[in-house]
Amino acid sequence: MKKHLLLVVLAFTFANLYSQDAKTAEECFKKADYKCAEEQYAKLAEKEQIQKYQSEYYNNLGTSQRRLGKTSLALKSYEAALRANPMSAPVYANLASVNSQKGNKQKALEYIDKGLQIDAENVDMYLTRSKIYDSQGKKELAIKDLNQILSFAPENIFARTGLANLKKNNGDLDGALKDYNQLISEKPESLLYNGRAEVYLKMKKQKEALTDINKAISIDPKFAQSYVTKSLILFDGAKPKEACVNLEKAVALGYEKAILADHFAKCPPAK
């Protein structure tokens, strides 16, 4: 009886410690301390025996590594997550995204096709595929995927901004501006001010672009993309030092530095 009780106590103790480790990992991630999150999720994934949870830990590990710019390691972590749970739609979405980022568009599309068989209403996969189609010049397919999202999530802000961005990318700046004006009137969010700032930048309206991007940052100072957009506006305004400060802020908030390599190349050498 005493031996049985001891085993129960030990099991309860280990469960509490394990729960605390998971909580620590989540807190690190929320605070954008991705190095800490990487270390914690790596430990959790190695120790976990239940495959479903192990897959989730590997998936979170991969995302932490991506935020640190460790794209190749992230890919391996996502692949480990898929081996642990081949029925996880979020893992397929991340594998598609990271392969697209690394330039392997065909592999990304294959992961999306498989993932959508598991979850036909996965927003992330449709968004990634839409971006791939847009990069391949398949505008109609890109629009179709965004409209597919709106068919089951009509208020999805990413799909709606995606449609505005397609107009921007294809030269319809007035149409994109009209869409963003409408979106901002409905819901003045950081993402939307950032998007409109990008449109103003393309229209060579730097004053309006800077006003919008500063508004985006004031609403959400932790939205990394806004600092990237601000850096582009500052580069355009011949302020490279200020632009590079904003690039560093974006990286500190989790933006992958490898993606910004071309922008960092414009930075003046450190003294």
Side-chain angles (χ1 to χ4, degrees):
M1 181 66 180
K2 288 183 179 180
K3 184 178 180 181
H4 177 71
L5 183 60
L6 178 60
L7 289 173
V8 171
V9 171
L10 285 173
F12 183 74
T13 301
F14 282 126
N16 278 344
L17 289 172
Y18 205 63
S19 176
Q20 185 58 45
D21 288 342
K23 186 177 179 181
T24 300
E26 290 173 11
E27 288 175 351
C28 289
F29 194 90
K30 287 178 182 177
K31 291 188 294 185
D33 185 351
Y34 300 115
K35 183 62 179 173
C36 168
E38 179 188 28
E39 292 172 356
Q40 293 299 319
Y41 280 124
K43 291 176 185 177
L44 286 163
E46 186 178 348
K47 291 188 293 183
E48 183 57 65
Q49 298 298 311
I50 300 174
Q51 288 186 308
K52 177 185 175 182
Y53 297 133
Q54 185 182 52
S55 177
E56 290 176 5
Y57 293 142
Y58 272 124
N59 194 40
N60 291 335
L61 171 61
T63 301
S64 301
Q65 290 167 328
R66 285 187 77 181
R67 300 291 174 85
L68 291 167
K70 301 177 180 180
T71 311
S72 295
L73 282 177
L75 180 57
K76 290 181 180 179
S77 294
Y78 290 142
E79 288 171 345
L82 187 64
R83 286 194 296 272
N85 182 11
M87 297 301 292
S88 173
V91 174
Y92 279 105
N94 282 327
L95 279 166
S97 177
V98 76
N99 272 282
S100 177
Q101 178 192 331
K102 289 174 72 67
N104 195 341
K105 307 296 185 184
Q106 185 55 44
K107 191 69 174 177
L109 290 173
E110 289 172 8
Y111 278 123
I112 290 170
D113 286 343
K114 291 177 182 177
L116 288 175
Q117 291 175 30
I118 298 168
D119 181 4
E121 294 187 352
N122 186 288
V123 170
D124 291 333
M125 284 188 267
Y126 284 113
L127 288 173
T128 298
R129 192 166 68 179
S130 177
K131 289 176 184 177
I132 292 173
Y133 284 150
D134 185 35
S135 72
Q136 295 175 335
K138 299 174 182 178
K139 182 181 176 183
E140 295 305 317
L141 289 176
I143 292 172
K144 182 180 178 182
D145 270 352
L146 295 174
N147 283 327
Q148 180 64 26
I149 294 172
L150 296 176
S151 72
F152 59 81
E155 299 302 316
N156 186 276
I157 193 171
F158 297 107
R160 295 180 71 191
T161 56
L163 289 169
N165 286 332
L166 279 173
K167 292 181 181 179
K168 177 192 71 178
N169 295 339
N170 287 281
D172 183 8
L173 299 181
D174 289 332
L177 183 60
K178 182 179 178 181
D179 285 354
Y180 272 112
N181 287 341
Q182 178 62 37
L183 286 163
I184 288 171
S185 71
E186 295 173 14
K187 205 170 186 179
E189 294 190 0
S190 179
L191 173 71
L192 301 176
Y193 279 106
N194 177 83
R196 193 169 69 178
E198 291 176 346
V199 175
Y200 279 136
L201 178 60
K202 285 210 170 224
M203 297 175 90
K204 301 298 180 183
K205 295 183 177 181
Q206 194 185 77
K207 182 180 178 182
E208 290 88 345
L210 200 56
T211 297
D212 264 8
I213 204 60
N214 286 333
K215 180 69 174 178
I217 291 170
S218 71
I219 293 172
D220 183 3
K222 292 187 177 182
F223 182 39
Q225 180 61 48
S226 289
Y227 295 99
V228 176
T229 303
K230 187 170 183 177
S231 75
L232 299 179
I233 296 168
L234 292 168
F235 275 129
D236 192 63
K239 297 179 180 178
K241 288 185 179 179
E242 291 180 46
C244 295
V245 168
N246 280 276
L247 286 177
E248 293 291 354
K249 287 180 180 178
V251 172
L253 287 169
Y255 210 100
E256 295 175 55
K257 192 167 186 176
I259 298 176
L260 302 174
D262 289 344
H263 301 318
F264 273 107
K266 302 174 188 175
C267 294
K271 294 182 180 179

